[in-house]
Amino acid sequence: MSRPYDAAKRVLDVLAAAIGLLLATPVIAAVAFAVLITMGRPVLFRQARPGRHGQLFELVKFRSMTVGGEGGAPANDGARLTRFGRWLRTTSLDELPQLWNVLRGEMSLVGPRPLLPAYLTRYTPEQFRRHDVRPGITGLQQVYGRNSLSWEERFALDVRYVRQRSLGLDLRILLRTVRTVLLREGITASGAATAHEYLGPSELAGAGAGPAEARR
């Protein structure tokens, strides 16, 4: 991919993230207050995620789950996801803090979603190509089904984006993201509160997987 594209995309990311953070300040403040009232501290969810070339960074988003299960015991996503947290996810307002990740250069507005570090050793070389670019707040798989897609379909769309990326494709994904958010499409995987864990190539060959801390 040409350097002019990368440079132009970075400039647009910085401008859009800075303007977005300024315009969304009242919404961000209101959501932060609501999370504090309904779930307490911490307001933000922070987790290490792989960025470009697999280098880890700290992703930030609004918390949508309780910290632990009953009595502090571990619980699955379905038990920890609060009613308000579920609403946050359906509206994608929990993603707003990631504009800070974009401003810092750790993410882009458009790119493959940053998944769990544990997946880094489970990708095939072809699947790992999703890390050739900065991860994004939205991407090709987010506008074509998100968590309702199989892992094979999701990775195929990620690699397709890496190969075909352009400012025109980024713009089309951003416009289609508005429709996806408004229609609240593909928020959860079938039979899971969030998404199923990716276990590796054997899963793509037909092995099952249970709900886990996969998140989106």
Side-chain angles (χ1 to χ4, degrees), residues 67-187:
V67 175
E70 187 176 353
N76 60 38
D77 287 357
R80 294 171 52 212
L81 190 61
T82 68
R83 184 175 180 180
F84 178 69
R86 194 181 303 276
W87 178 81
L88 272 184
R89 285 173 172 253
T90 60
T91 58
S92 295
L93 288 174
D94 60 322
E95 310 282 4
L96 281 176
Q98 286 167 56
L99 289 173
W100 176 246
N101 289 121
V102 175
L103 206 56
R104 287 169 56 91
E106 297 158 336
M107 293 181 65
S108 173
L109 293 180
V110 181
R113 283 293 298 170
L115 300 176
L116 296 179
Y119 295 180
L120 286 173
T121 59
R122 302 175 187 174
Y123 295 127
T124 66
E126 178 70 3
Q127 291 166 357
F128 197 85
R129 290 201 59 192
R130 67 193 310 281
H131 294 291
D132 287 353
V133 299
R134 288 187 179 90
I137 294 179
T138 185
L140 205 53
Q141 63 159 282
Q142 275 64 49
V143 299
Y144 280 106
R146 230 175 354 179
N147 289 328
S148 66
L149 301 174
S150 68
W151 281 114
E152 186 173 22
E153 293 170 325
R154 294 170 70 174
F155 292 143
L157 287 169
D158 286 344
V159 175
R160 176 180 158 192
Y161 171 77
V162 170
R163 287 176 172 157
Q164 301 179 354
R165 65 190 188 277
S166 67
L167 292 180
L169 178 58
D170 289 347
L171 179 59
R172 291 195 293 276
I173 290 173
L174 287 172
L175 292 175
R176 192 172 175 114
T177 297
V178 176
R179 175 183 181 277
T180 300
V181 171
L182 291 176
L183 295 180
R184 304 182 181 186
E185 295 175 333
I187 297 168

